[in-house]
Amino acid sequence: MRTGRSFHTLDKDLGRVTNTEAAQRHAFRPVWRLGLAVLLLVAALILATAFGLGNTDYAALAAGLIVAGWLGLAIGSNDVANSLGPAVGAGAIGLLPGLLLVALAEVAGASLAGGAVTDRLANGIIDARALTVGIEAQIVMLSALVGAAAWITTATGIGLPVSTSHSIVGGIAGAGMAALGTSAVEWTTLAIITSTWLIAPLIAGAVAGLLVIFVRLQVLDAADRAAAARVWLPLLVGAMSGLFASYLVLLARPRLPLLSTMPMVVPAGVAIALIGAALMRRKVNAELILSDGKTGSKRLFRPALLVAATMMGFAHGANDVGNVAGPLSVILAGSATTGSFVMPVGALLMAGLAIALGTLLFGRRLVVMVGSGITRLNAGRAFCVSLATAATVLASSALGLPVSTTHVAVGGIFGVGFAREWLDRRRNKSRSPMPAEETRRRMLIRRSHVATIAAAWVVTVPATALLGGACCLLILRLT
């Protein structure tokens, strides 16, 4: 029995989360400096317009594109480690091919599945019918982008981990209230979104916990680990691939009649599941041959981590693209005067490309840090967390609900840690109880991470609402 190591898993993984946050702040410095320059440039554009040195419509469009572009770069550079770090650390893929793979997955997710979140942010938080003047709509969304960018830049500069999704939601609500009053805010929608920020990490934790129990019992603790891996890992990856393929087919439903789409879902899902299982079995066999009989979890889960990284990239692009494309679609609409704003496909594509560019240009240092032994999760646990996070984020994206990928991943880490502790208790019921001091120490560690997430949620929305509102009032007064 590994009694000396029992009950340490969750605390070690939470320590790695803390190290990852420190690595993110360090790797984010070039983007942070760029953010300061962007804010200064946008301020100059607004002041130039106020003094009659430029056209208001063009100034709003230029400022919106600049801030949206920076936010896309920031999202791509800061969150790539969630997708790619475990796969690179386990040796499943090289750094440059991994960055390219995740960048492509981000663009695909943004283009194919980002519409629901984008539409929610463009039309769901503020009643679009209240924006009766085109320039007023542009100013509201520009103010939301500037408020979110200012908060992210400030919070990062002082070392506070914040969420882009939380920031942009607060910015839109604050700017809308400043321009149109509290009645223009769709409070029910806002309540649903904020509730999702609490529920999504819990769902990811439950899914990740069930996955780690399954993997531990069926594969890692099997008498013949290699034989179990040949059976169960292909089945797991096949099921994952099949469900993902079915999801992609369902994405075509808005473009095709429902009756013509539904009969394609099951055959497509089954076909991709069989192909995925066959390819995974081949990869597992190859890894077992290369390992010379050593069946460590790192080698066994290399192929599965690669699939999970691709899904995570797609899910991240699908959800976080709305933070950029939602406000940008309203700004691009320009002269729209009534009704809801139609989401231009170009907004999704531009936002997706900005996120992908951030991944390629600034993600390298962070992925190397997170892929190191200091912050890298065990391969099996990383697979369960990545898969649970991707599934939860994709489901949120399908419902048009913006969530924080990082917070969902932390929820998955909690779920994996609690599941492993349950398994250890089940295996070693005769264990002597831990000293009260040790129990209290671990409880404090865990509560501190819950408090960090709660503080980010409680502080970010009011802060960005105030910044967005103040920016909106200032621009309206100047113009």
Side-chain angles (χ1 to χ4, degrees):
M1 301 291 180
R2 297 177 292 177
T3 55
R5 297 176 59 188
S6 300
F7 296 117
H8 283 283
T9 297
L10 177 54
D11 304 304
K12 286 169 61 180
D13 288 348
L14 290 177
R16 290 186 172 107
V17 172
T18 300
N19 291 332
T20 300
E21 290 171 351
Q24 284 176 326
R25 290 193 292 273
H26 178 72
F28 193 68
R29 286 176 186 171
V31 188
W32 177 76
R33 297 188 188 100
L34 183 61
L36 292 176
V38 163
L39 291 174
L40 289 174
L41 180 57
V42 169
L45 281 172
I46 293 171
L47 288 174
T49 304
F51 287 103
L53 300 178
N55 182 280
T56 303
D57 287 340
Y58 290 134
L61 178 59
L65 287 171
I66 291 170
V67 181
W70 179 81
L71 279 176
L73 291 175
I75 292 169
S77 64
N78 213 22
D79 289 347
V80 64
N82 295 328
S83 306
L84 191 57
V88 170
I93 192 170
L95 179 60
L96 182 57
L99 288 171
L100 289 171
L101 176 66
V102 170
L104 290 173
E106 297 266 10
V107 174
S111 304
L112 297 175
V117 174
T118 299
D119 183 67
R120 178 85 67 177
L121 291 173
N123 298 307
I125 297 177
I126 299 297
D127 185 358
R129 292 170 298 180
L131 300 177
T132 55
V133 181
I135 185 59
E136 186 179 52
Q138 287 183 316
I139 289 173
V140 167
M141 290 304 177
L142 173 61
S143 301
L145 287 172
V146 173
W151 172 246
I152 292 169
T153 305
T154 303
T156 303
I158 61 178
L160 294 177
V162 295
S163 165
T164 309
S165 299
H166 297 185
S167 300
I168 203 68
V169 167
I172 292 173
M177 283 189 285
L180 306 164
T182 57
S183 60
V185 178
E186 298 284 1
W187 294 105
T188 302
T189 300
L190 197 59
I192 292 172
I193 291 173
T194 53
S195 298
T196 305
W197 295 341
L198 296 175
I199 296 169
L202 297 177
I203 294 174
V207 174
L210 291 173
L211 279 171
V212 82
I213 290 172
F214 176 83
V215 169
R216 175 92 170 262
L217 294 179
Q218 298 297 330
V219 180
L220 298 180
D221 287 350
D224 188 344
R225 183 183 286 189
R230 288 189 179 96
V231 172
W232 290 110
L233 290 184
L235 287 176
L236 194 59
V237 171
M240 179 173 66
S241 303
L243 290 172
F244 186 54
S246 301
Y247 172 80
L248 292 178
V249 173
L250 286 173
L251 288 176
R253 195 174 68 187
R255 302 177 182 88
L256 297 173
L258 179 60
L259 292 179
S260 65
T261 304
M262 292 305 293
M264 295 188 293
V265 172
V266 175
V270 171
I272 297 300
L274 292 174
I275 294 172
L279 292 175
M280 181 63 187
R281 184 177 177 84
R282 183 177 177 181
K283 292 290 291 183
V284 169
N285 286 331
E287 291 290 347
L288 290 173
I289 291 171
L290 289 173
S291 65
D292 295 326
K294 297 178 181 179
T295 53
S297 63
K298 182 176 178 179
R299 281 196 174 276
L300 287 178
F301 283 94
R302 276 180 178 176
L305 275 172
L306 188 56
V307 176
T310 305
M311 287 186 61
M312 274 281 287
F314 186 96
H316 181 251
N319 199 273
D320 276 34
V321 71
N323 298 329
V324 178
L328 187 59
S329 64
V330 177
I331 294 172
L332 290 175
S335 60
T337 56
T338 58
S340 62
F341 296 93
V342 178
M343 175 194 61
V345 177
L348 286 176
L349 186 57
M350 283 190 290
L353 289 173
I355 293 173
L357 190 61
T359 294
L360 291 172
L361 293 180
F362 303 106
R364 181 186 181 92
R365 295 172 64 194
L366 184 56
V367 171
V368 170
M369 292 177 189
V370 174
S372 70
I374 298 174
T375 58
R376 187 182 70 243
L377 296 179
N378 163 277
R381 298 199 299 273
F383 169 72
C384 295
V385 171
S386 297
L387 184 55
T389 302
T392 304
V393 173
L394 281 174
S396 301
S397 302
L399 296 172
L401 299 170
V403 295
S404 168
T405 308
T406 302
H407 290 178
V408 174
V410 171
I413 290 171
F414 268 97
V416 165
F418 288 140
R420 283 179 59 89
E421 290 188 0
W422 177 79
L423 286 167
D424 285 339
R425 289 193 187 95
R426 182 172 173 265
R427 170 187 285 183
N428 190 15
K429 295 181 180 179
S430 61
R431 176 200 312 276
S432 58
M434 286 186 296
E437 295 81 3
E438 178 66 7
T439 301
R440 177 174 175 77
R441 184 188 71 82
R442 296 183 182 191
M443 189 176 296
L444 288 174
I445 291 173
R446 298 168 190 194
R447 285 178 178 173
S448 70
H449 284 273
V450 175
T452 298
I453 293 176
W457 176 69
V458 170
V459 173
T460 295
V461 174
T464 51
L466 287 172
L467 288 170
C471 183
C472 185
L473 291 175
L474 178 63
I475 295 174
L476 288 173
R477 182 177 294 273
L478 290 175
T479 55

